[in-house]
Amino acid sequence: MVSLRKAKGAVVPRGGFSRARYQVPFVIALAVLVTGFLSVAAVRHGFFDLAVYWGALHHWVRADGMIYDWLKPDSKYGFTYPPFAALVMYPLAYLSWHTAIVIHVASTVLASTLLIWWLVDPLARRTGWTRWFTLAVTLCLAAAFEPMRETVNFGQVNMLLLFLVGADLLWLVAPVTPFGRRTPTRWRRLAGVGIGLATAVKLTPGIFIVYLLVTGRWRATLVAAGTAAGATLLAAALAPDASREFWTAALWDTDRVGTLSFISNQSWQGMVARLDPTHPSRLLWLLLVAATLAVWVWRVRPAAAAGDEATGLALTGVVGSLVSPVTWVHHLVWLIPALILLVDHAYAAPAGSRRRRTLLGCAIVAYLVLISRLVWIWERRFDGLLGFVGSNAYVWVSVALLLVLPVRPPARPGGVVVPGRPGASDGRGGAGRPDRTDRSGGGAGEPGPRRPRPFPRPLGFATADARPRGGTVGGVH
């Protein structure tokens, strides 16, 4: 006999809680397996990039030197971020090395956990998987992800920037929060702040300002651009010499970031440079960038029109990795949202359908490639057809995600979406709640009518902690 108990409006089978005895050992076993994998596959970089930040800040603040003149001993690498990033990292000058490591790892883990929670929780609620179990499994898989483990081992800031951008898009720009509630108007006035701050710290997140622009979010675009400009001017006022050095010299010194043809550069520029390391074709790179941006605009505009900011985040993260002149492997953490959403769309499709098998297959193959260190086989030689294909494996994954990731279409009158498409329920194209932002039914912001959908069969050891609340399934845009 199954009894019911409520958990925040959800109907939960009490008998399902007994399955926790399977879930806990599974998570522990998976964590042990990932730990063993990391002991073999993870490369120890000794927090190299964090050492650059730490040393440069000590040189600038404690030794009264020029931050962009300092180079890490026995290397050609120095501080490459804008002066505002130096101001944000200013406390490093007063921290011990081991304290800096602890703070870096803790902040990266926290930012990663929150972002992944926002992305997987709608999936867990809609499919009936236990929410803590879904998050724990995803975090274990993320730990094995090569870009993630490289981010931690280098001491990079990638996940902190992705967190800023994700918080902005999912909580401020989106009409509905990741937990299915309508975003308060007072929050939406701040839309763009996170993207602006991320851009002021590191220039590459500026692609998200372009995303806001091409999708017609004028206010958010102005806020993001204004925040980035304001932070940059603040840095110029507080550190005029460093600002002058960065914007007139350090920014244009490509030798500071490394060799473009190095195997870790998994962008279009890296691919082109490996074709001819001595004289890479600027024209070919520009053509590839232009074509990629055209496809990206074509795909993100419908996503934005549907209020599907998670897909906008995912596609823009992918395209930023492709068009940036330098995308080291650790920068590919920007692909995490796309991989999660690929699984989300797969489980929105009917159980046993070709669509579910195809999307899950694509997600699994992409994930396996991106944990494998496959490209490093061609670190020293990447000539020939096999070398060309293999040395750019992560580029091909990015291209596939840009083309394959489904986009939810706008809702029809009454909150009804096109049959065979993912529903508009969770604020990002999931099918767990009615679309609260549909403006074509009743009054503005009123939920449209709920429609039943096939309930995807959860994993055998997962517990249902939420009943599906409507929406439809299937379809790729």
Side-chain angles (χ1 to χ4, degrees):
M1 181 175 180
V2 178
S3 60
L4 302 177
R5 75 165 47 162
K6 287 196 173 184
K8 295 185 179 180
V11 180
V12 183
R14 179 177 294 169
F17 284 100
S18 64
R19 296 183 182 175
R21 69 176 182 268
Y22 301 113
Q23 297 169 355
V24 172
F26 180 86
V27 170
I28 293 174
L30 181 60
V32 170
L33 181 63
V34 169
T35 301
F37 173 78
L38 292 176
S39 69
V40 175
V43 178
R44 308 297 188 270
H45 298 293
F47 300 98
F48 185 96
D49 289 357
L50 181 61
V52 171
Y53 311 151
W54 186 79
L57 266 297
H58 274 258
H59 177 73
W60 185 43
V61 177
R62 307 291 291 273
D64 199 26
M66 173 58 70
I67 189 169
Y68 296 106
D69 290 342
W70 185 87
L71 298 178
K72 190 176 185 298
D74 303 318
S75 80
K76 62 178 181 179
Y77 298 105
F79 196 80
T80 58
Y81 294 167
F84 180 72
L87 295 181
V88 173
M89 298 179 188
Y90 199 89
L92 283 177
Y94 299 97
L95 297 177
S96 69
W97 171 236
H98 291 97
T99 302
I101 292 175
V102 170
I103 291 176
H104 155 70
V105 174
S107 59
T108 299
V109 170
L110 178 60
S112 303
T113 300
L114 287 174
L115 179 74
I116 290 173
W117 178 31
W118 299 338
L119 291 170
V120 303
D121 192 71
L123 168 64
R125 286 187 286 111
R126 176 162 47 76
T127 58
W129 300 349
T130 308
R131 297 163 78 176
W132 75 264
F133 175 76
T134 306
L135 177 62
V137 169
T138 308
L139 288 175
C140 287
L141 296 177
F145 192 56
E146 183 180 357
M148 178 69 84
R149 63 186 194 241
E150 292 282 284
T151 287
V152 174
N153 285 327
F154 269 114
Q156 262 284 340
V157 299
N158 303 310
M159 284 308 302
L160 301 179
L161 298 179
L162 178 52
F163 170 79
L164 274 177
V165 173
D168 200 339
L169 291 178
L170 300 178
W171 286 92
L172 303 179
V173 175
V176 179
T177 71
F179 302 122
R181 301 179 182 89
R182 188 170 182 178
T183 305
T185 303
R186 64 182 181 278
W187 292 11
R188 302 198 70 185
R189 295 193 186 102
L190 298 174
V193 170
I195 291 172
L197 289 174
T199 303
V201 170
K202 190 174 182 178
L203 299 179
T204 48
I207 186 67
F208 287 91
I209 299 180
V210 183
Y211 164 71
L212 295 175
L213 179 64
V214 301
T215 54
R217 266 67 68 84
W218 312 117
R219 179 186 174 89
T221 301
L222 291 175
V223 171
T227 301
T232 300
L233 291 175
L234 175 64
L238 298 177
D241 292 338
S243 296
R244 186 182 310 108
E245 175 69 16
F246 177 79
W247 295 107
T248 61
L251 176 62
W252 315 104
D253 184 1
T254 56
D255 291 336
R256 296 177 65 92
V257 297
T259 306
L260 293 177
S261 61
F262 182 49
I263 198 67
S264 184
N265 188 10
Q266 291 293 306
S267 66
W268 283 134
Q269 179 73 289
M271 186 205 75
V272 170
R274 283 186 287 276
L275 287 174
D276 185 356
T278 306
H279 301 99
S281 172
R282 177 62 62 87
L283 177 61
L284 176 58
W285 176 63
L286 290 175
L287 290 174
L288 288 169
V289 167
T292 302
L293 291 175
V295 172
W296 167 67
V297 171
W298 169 62
R299 304 222 63 217
V300 296
R301 286 175 65 87
D308 189 4
E309 296 302 335
T311 299
L313 167 66
L315 290 173
T316 306
V318 170
V319 84
S321 300
L322 286 170
V323 304
S324 174
V326 176
T327 299
W328 303 133
V329 168
H330 55 74
H331 294 149
L332 294 176
V333 293
W334 292 94
L335 304 187
I336 289 176
L339 291 172
I340 292 175
L341 293 188
L342 206 55
V343 175
D344 189 355
H345 280 278
Y347 277 97
S353 66
R354 177 180 297 179
R355 172 180 167 79
R356 176 179 286 196
R357 292 194 301 270
T358 299
L359 292 179
L360 272 181
C362 289
I364 291 170
V365 170
Y367 176 77
L368 291 177
V369 170
L370 287 167
I371 70 171
S372 67
R373 288 186 57 82
L374 177 64
V375 297
W376 296 96
I377 295 174
W378 294 274
E379 179 180 4
R380 303 194 181 280
R381 288 196 60 181
F382 35 76
D383 53 336
L385 178 60
L386 182 60
F388 172 74
V389 174
S391 66
N392 299 299
Y394 300 171
V395 177
W396 311 136
V397 170
S398 297
V399 173
L401 290 173
L402 178 63
L403 297 175
V404 171
L405 184 65
V407 174
R408 173 172 60 87
R412 286 179 175 174
V416 180
V417 297
V418 180
R421 304 273 185 161
S425 55
D426 53 24
R428 61 144 212 220
R433 295 179 182 268
D435 186 356
R436 303 188 181 199
T437 61
D438 177 57
R439 303 184 180 209
S440 52
E446 293 181 5
R450 300 178 181 177
R451 295 186 59 184
R453 59 176 294 279
F455 184 59
R457 181 183 179 88
L459 297 176
F461 39 73
T463 297
D465 72 349
R467 178 190 290 177
R469 294 176 173 260
T472 55
V473 298
V476 177
H477 177 85

